[in-house]
């Protein structure tokens, strides 16, 4: 169990810290550690048949794989405590309402919708996407003043980039931009 926990901690940390957008495609149950894995991702696309929640309490366990950190951030402290303490599992539509998933689609459209989102993200300016993700992730744990300083530094990196020049040129030329991540 100890080795497995360390492995899970590493996976959750790597997913959360990845500098590129990470999409979870949920088809089935994402409960307890599975929900934590999904919440470590930036976007969660769920099939309308998916179930999400925290069942750790059914076994006398705790949300020790990062759930106690992720759950309140996704759905608010009171709802997270209720879900965990009562071992609640929600249908996909309710999970969407609670903030556990980004989008719900039919099971037959799950893969194509997830890939559409991945392609749309890949078409954006890579530097801007990475910096925006970093700014928002850091902003969740910092003051407004720190977030504003972080934004100022990020703008100093992004604004002189080739991608910004390409984006402006493409706009005026009425064509899709061809970003290179520089």
């Amino acid at each position: 169990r100890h080795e497995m926990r360390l492995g899970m901690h590493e996976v959750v940390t790597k997913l959360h810290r990845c500098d590129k957008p990470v999409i979870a495609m949920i088809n089935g149950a994402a409960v307890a550690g599975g929900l934590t894995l999904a919440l470590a991702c930036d976007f969660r696309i769920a099939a309308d048949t998916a179930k999400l929640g925290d069942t750790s309490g059914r076994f006398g366990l705790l949300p020790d794989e990062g759930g106690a950190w992720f759950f309140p951030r996704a759905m608010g402290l009171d709802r997270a405590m209720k879900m965990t303490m009562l071992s609640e599992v929600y249908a996909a539509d309710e999970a969407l309402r609670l903030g556990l998933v980004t989008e719900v689609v039919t099971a037959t459209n799950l893969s194509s919708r997830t890939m559409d989102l991945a392609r749309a993200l890949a078409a954006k300016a890579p530097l801007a996407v990475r910096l925006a993700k970093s700014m928002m992730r850091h902003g969740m744990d910092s003051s407004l003043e720190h977030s504003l300083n972080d934004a100022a530094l990020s703008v100093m990196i992004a604004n002189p980039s080739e991608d910004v020049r390409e984006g402006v040129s493409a706009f005026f030329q009425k064509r899709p931009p061809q970003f290179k991540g520089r």
Side-chain angles (χ1 to χ4, degrees), residues 92-158:
D93 286 337
E94 180 68 2
L96 176 65
R97 189 184 72 74
L98 291 170
L100 295 174
V101 297
T102 310
E103 191 173 330
V104 174
V105 298
T106 63
T108 56
N109 291 332
L110 179 61
S111 182
S112 64
R113 176 61 190 127
T114 304
M115 292 308 298
D116 287 347
L117 177 58
R119 280 189 286 277
L121 288 165
K124 300 301 178 191
L127 184 59
V129 168
R130 286 178 171 172
L131 288 169
K133 176 178 175 171
S134 175
M135 289 169 47
M136 289 185 191
R137 288 278 188 210
H138 290 136
M140 292 290 295
D141 295 319
S142 66
S143 67
L144 172 60
E145 291 77 18
H146 187 265
S147 291
L148 290 170
N149 289 336
D150 193 23
L153 292 172
S154 295
V155 164
M156 289 171 56
I157 295 168

Side-chain angles (χ1 to χ4, degrees), residues 2-126:
H2 181 69
E3 288 177 11
M4 185 172 72
R5 187 175 320 127
L6 290 177
M8 177 72 157
H9 287 183
E10 187 177 357
V11 170
V12 168
T13 301
K14 284 183 187 266
L15 281 172
H16 183 66
R17 289 186 180 165
C18 181
D19 67 343
K20 297 178 179 102
V22 179
I23 306 168
M25 183 169 57
I26 305 165
N27 189 11
V31 296
L35 179 56
T36 300
L37 284 172
L39 290 172
C41 299
D42 302 305
F43 303 99
R44 291 158 303 285
I45 310 300
D48 55 0
T49 54
K51 305 281 186 201
L52 299 95
D54 186 15
T55 58
S56 58
R58 290 182 188 173
F59 309 100
L61 299 170
L62 298 169
D64 63 343
E65 306 296 355
W69 192 87
F70 284 106
F71 299 164
R73 281 169 171 74
M75 61 193 309
L77 180 60
D78 60 333
R79 290 176 176 170
M81 287 193 302
K82 182 175 179 276
M83 176 183 71
T84 293
M85 292 176 187
L86 298 177
S87 299
E88 292 182 337
V89 176
Y90 309 109
D93 286 337
E94 180 68 2
L96 176 65
R97 189 184 72 74
L98 291 170
L100 295 174
V101 297
T102 310
E103 191 173 330
V104 174
V105 298
T106 63
T108 56
N109 291 332
L110 179 61
S111 182
S112 64
R113 176 61 190 127
T114 304
M115 292 308 298
D116 287 347
L117 177 58
R119 280 189 286 277
L121 288 165
K124 300 301 178 191

